[in-house]
Amino acid sequence: MAKRWYVVHTYSGYENKVKTDLEHRIETFGMADKIVDIQIPTEEVTEIKDGGKRETKESKVFPGYVLVRMELNDDTWTVVRNTAGVTGFVGVDGTPSPLRRSEFNKIMRRTNGRGAEAHKHTTTTTDLEVGQTIKVVSGPLADFDGTVSEVNAEAGKVKVMLTIFGRETPVELTLDQVTVIV
């Protein structure tokens, strides 16, 4: 029988514990040939803190979910379902629904290199908001004050209105070139 990817719902924050506990249960019940892989999709998220300091951390793409590649039968379902922290399978009317290969590939492309088709993906978040007053801390416009008019965290850019030669001028800067004036 074919091994397919299934989505298992867990208590949020228990994904790693579920993976570890499930790995032990697979070994204990001799299911290694039927439950062959467990993935917790994560991505690197870079946050820009006050002062332009970058902080990179790993973040779960789908908190509260774990992907399990297995041959679905009553025994494997029972081993997975009765793992501490597991609340059920994602499916219709209590029946686990396997992921299509394209869905699995799309999920794993967002992760940090885990899985055969995975590619690195970095998301940037920032505390900057439109309307905030900022100071440019580096580059040719250093020491200018301005107002945030647009934030593009994904691209790591911010558009600010600076007063240059007495005129409001829109300038695009990288997030690490600005700091919030408190």
Side-chain angles (χ1 to χ4, degrees):
M1 188 172 195
K3 291 165 187 67
R4 313 237 351 235
W5 286 99
Y6 294 88
V7 180
V8 177
H9 190 260
T10 70
Y11 294 121
S12 191
Y14 283 78
E15 302 86 359
N16 293 332
K17 179 150 180 42
V18 165
K19 180 178 180 180
T20 302
D21 289 352
L22 183 52
E23 288 168 344
H24 287 111
R25 289 176 58 80
I26 290 166
E27 191 176 316
T28 301
F29 288 97
M31 295 279 176
D33 60 329
K34 300 198 181 325
I35 305 173
V36 297
D37 199 1
I38 305 164
Q39 295 285 330
I40 303 170
T42 59
E43 64 184 347
E44 258 182 28
V45 177
T46 303
E47 292 183 352
I48 308 297
K49 300 291 185 181
D50 289 337
K53 184 175 182 266
R54 289 178 177 267
E55 186 177 290
T56 300
K57 63 181 182 177
E58 201 168 280
S59 178
K60 290 175 182 61
V61 176
F62 302 110
Y65 295 94
V66 173
L67 304 180
V68 179
R69 185 167 181 234
M70 61 187 237
E71 180 181 306
L72 183 65
N73 60 40
D74 289 344
D75 294 334
T76 56
W77 181 91
T78 301
V79 167
V80 174
R81 181 62 186 92
N82 292 331
T83 301
V86 169
T87 59
F89 281 87
V90 173
V92 181
D93 298 327
T95 305
S97 298
L99 286 174
R100 290 190 303 272
R101 189 70 187 168
S102 61
E103 292 171 318
F104 174 77
N105 290 345
K106 186 175 182 181
I107 290 167
M108 295 312 290
R109 251 189 237 100
R110 290 189 64 180
T111 69
N112 297 330
R114 288 189 269 297
E117 296 81 18
H119 299 286
K120 188 165 184 165
H121 175 80
T122 300
T123 301
T124 302
T125 61
T126 179
D127 295 334
L128 286 176
E129 295 175 9
V130 172
Q132 282 183 313
T133 303
I134 58 91
K135 177 181 272 307
V136 180
V137 293
S138 66
L141 300 172
D143 297 327
F144 276 85
D145 293 345
T147 306
V148 176
S149 63
E150 191 178 309
V151 178
N152 185 347
E154 198 63 36
K157 305 252 183 198
V158 61
K159 194 173 281 185
V160 297
M161 297 301 288
L162 300 178
T163 302
I164 302 173
F165 304 122
R167 296 180 52 178
E168 286 274 295
T169 307
V171 178
E172 188 174 86
L173 301 166
T174 58
L175 293 171
D176 59 354
Q177 287 183 286
V178 300
T179 188
V180 177
I181 297 176
V182 185

